Amino acid sequence: MNLSENDTILLKHILEHSFDEIFIADAAGMVLYTSQTTELVFGIPREQIVNHNLFDLEKQGLFSPSVIANVLRTKKKDTLIQETILNRKLIISGYPIFDSSGLLIGAMSVSRDITEFEYLKKENDQVAKALQLYQEENEKLRKQAASPFLHRNDKMAKVFDIASKVANINVTVLLEGESGTGKNHIAHMIHQMSSRKAEPFIEMNCGAIPESLFESELFGYEEGAFTGSKKGGKKGYFECARKGTLFLDEIGELPMNLQVKLLSVLQNHSFMRIGGTKEIEVNCRIICATNQQLETLIKERRFREDLYYRINVVKIDIPPLRERREEIIPLIYEITEQLNRKYGLDKYFTPTMAAWLSQQQWPGNVRELRNYIEKQIITTSGNEIDLESDEDTNQNSSIDANQEIPLDDYIETLEKEYIVRMYQKYPSSIKLAEKLGISQSTANRKIQKYVGTR
């Protein structure tokens, strides 16, 4: 093939300005041409390649393997990924060159540097993993934001696991537990973790509203519905909740006649105001709570069985505080912090006092504990609250000041409180061991024993 001078110049420019590295060899493997930037990619001077045999260069390990050598051997196209001595990663495709009669007269290869692509791919993989970890951590933080306490008790961990799972599922939830166990807190948490959190959270205590006002409070009324009704009527709790959450506390106290109407609302997803003729659609989520055994009330014909099954789609049993003593000390510190912010104070319970409080019975559960802490914060003169600060421990308190605790249990309680508090501040075994002056293995054992893996 004869090329004119202009054709030769044009071909040279095409080869030199190609984005890819180009090799051309004859049928014997003699290199006829390489791009000028070859040395930057392969780390081999151009003069050591041009007019040298690729089979020899392959034997020397400079190209291992050589794509062009493979093409010349097989007379077929070949593609492989090769890493150069400069740690550049290339994707190389080789092509046989035949003349018009089909005779092999040489081969060429085109190499594209994919080092940056590989780097970006690795970076993207790392970003994807980091994003996944971020999303997982964000989910943990979302749950912690709704529930600030560290739940080390298995029963409470199960409670919060179920609550988090049902938060975004539009089902009716029934919370059961003794008075003061935190049913209101769980209901709030479910609302805050749901997609309804920007909507209202409306609470109605069924045991605190006179029976004569129940219906109007729950469903509202139209103007002129009865003597004394407000001008323009009034919205009930269902309407006020809009697309949010309606929390019906002490559902066992709901009168039988209203149980029928509530059942109708749950079945039909609509209601009418008192004196109204227009159906109003129910868009809110219903959470019910009780400190009574509804099964017993059903047997006593004080609660409708059909309503029970309607509200009991998902039931969450909240254990009393005496069954989750591991949480008492974190609760003490959390409640103390909340009340300090409320009253603008800086009171604190000593570790000894907190450990002693964790051994008490608290029949009124979290509500009683909170009331006790609030009283001590308000009435104690100094900032430090210790056993000596409590003037009522020997009087009409539900706490037994003379309760005898085994020494080992008392020491373990103090150690546990201290380890938990320090681990929250230094959340790694290395840092914890350094701060406490103990070995890392000992710190790990303490963390496993008192903090756990949750």
Side-chain angles (χ1 to χ4, degrees), residues 43-91:
I44 307 170
R46 194 180 186 192
E47 56 270 18
Q48 292 184 19
I49 299 175
V50 177
N51 298 322
H52 288 73
N53 192 280
L54 271 173
F55 293 103
D56 295 335
L57 296 175
E58 186 181 45
K59 289 178 182 179
Q60 296 172 24
L62 298 180
F63 300 104
S64 182
S66 166
V67 176
I68 290 182
N70 287 346
V71 170
L72 292 175
R73 293 187 189 103
T74 64
K75 299 181 181 181
K76 294 180 180 179
K77 173 185 172 182
D78 191 18
T79 298
L80 57 79
I81 293 178
Q82 190 177 79
E83 189 166 335
T84 73
I85 60 175
L86 295 180
N87 295 320
R88 308 297 295 182
K89 187 167 285 189
L90 309 175
I91 181 168

Side-chain angles (χ1 to χ4, degrees), residues 218-219 236-242 246 262 265 271 282 284 286:
L218 199 55
F219 304 115
Y237 286 114
F238 273 109
E239 283 186 83
C240 291
R242 299 199 300 270
L246 177 58
L262 177 59
V265 172
F271 66 94
V282 173
C284 63
I286 309 296

Side-chain angles (χ1 to χ4, degrees), residues 96-297:
I97 302 173
F98 300 98
D99 64 11
S100 58
S101 65
L103 180 67
L104 181 71
I105 61 173
M108 67 173 290
S109 70
V110 179
S111 305
R112 175 156 295 188
D113 191 342
I114 60 170
T115 308
E116 300 304 324
F117 291 104
E118 288 292 308
Y119 173 78
L120 290 174
K121 181 178 179 297
K122 188 180 295 184
E123 285 290 299
N124 286 338
D125 290 342
Q126 291 175 348
V127 169
K129 289 179 182 178
L131 182 60
Q132 182 179 357
L133 290 174
Y134 168 77
Q135 290 172 338
E136 292 173 358
E137 187 64 24
N138 192 46
E139 181 65 16
K140 291 179 182 178
L141 291 173
R142 184 176 71 88
K143 293 179 180 179
Q144 290 177 5
S147 173
F149 309 123
L150 291 175
H151 297 283
R152 302 175 191 87
N153 178 272
D154 289 340
K155 293 181 179 179
M156 282 305 292
K158 184 178 179 180
V159 166
F160 280 83
D161 180 57
I162 296 174
S164 63
K165 287 177 179 177
V166 302
N168 276 317
I169 301 175
N170 192 29
V171 294
T172 304
V173 178
L174 176 61
L175 306 176
E176 284 194 352
E178 295 179 7
S179 179
T181 51
K183 297 185 289 295
N184 180 285
H185 174 70
I186 301 296
H188 267 284
M189 189 200 75
I190 293 173
H191 176 73
Q192 287 299 319
M193 289 198 300
S194 75
S195 58
R196 302 173 181 268
K197 63 182 180 181
E199 297 290 336
F201 177 90
I202 303 296
E203 180 177 351
M204 176 181 180
N205 190 321
C206 300
I209 299 176
E211 185 173 347
S212 59
L213 299 178
F214 253 114
E215 190 169 2
S216 62
E217 291 295 314
L218 199 55
F219 304 115
Y221 56 81
E222 297 289 353
E223 182 178 346
F226 51 83
T227 303
S229 60
K230 290 183 179 179
K231 185 177 181 180
K234 178 186 174 183
K235 290 182 179 180
Y237 286 114
F238 273 109
E239 283 186 83
C240 291
R242 299 199 300 270
K243 295 180 180 180
T245 300
L246 177 58
F247 177 46
L248 300 176
D249 199 6
E250 303 302 341
I251 189 68
E253 301 293 334
L254 193 67
M256 288 292 285
N257 64 314
L258 281 180
Q259 290 181 28
V260 177
K261 294 188 176 183
L262 177 59
L263 177 62
S264 175
V265 172
L266 295 177
Q267 288 176 336
N268 302 321
H269 304 289
S270 63
F271 66 94
M272 285 192 294
R273 290 183 180 182
I274 298 174
T277 57
K278 179 182 177 182
E279 289 283 340
I280 300 174
E281 185 180 356
V282 173
N283 292 317
C284 63
R285 194 238 189 94
I286 309 296
I287 300 178
C288 300
T290 180
N291 61 5
Q292 304 181 66
Q293 291 294 325
L294 295 184
E295 293 90 340
T296 302
L297 297 184

Side-chain angles (χ1 to χ4, degrees), residues 315-339:
K315 183 168 74 171
I316 301 177
D317 292 305
I318 305 173
L321 195 56
R322 60 183 175 274
E323 294 180 10
R324 43 185 171 118
R325 291 185 180 277
E326 304 94 328
E327 300 193 337
I328 293 180
I329 289 178
L331 277 169
I332 291 170
Y333 287 114
E334 180 65 28
I335 294 170
T336 300
E337 183 180 341
Q338 291 174 359
L339 294 174

Side-chain angles (χ1 to χ4, degrees), residues 1 4 10 21 119 211-212 217 248 293 311 383 386 390 394-395 398 419:
M1 178 176 65
S4 67
L10 179 61
E21 296 296 325
Y119 173 78
E211 185 173 347
S212 59
E217 291 295 314
L248 300 176
Q293 291 294 325
I311 65 175
N383 284 342
D386 205 346
D390 187 359
N394 294 314
Q395 298 179 19
S398 63
I419 294 295

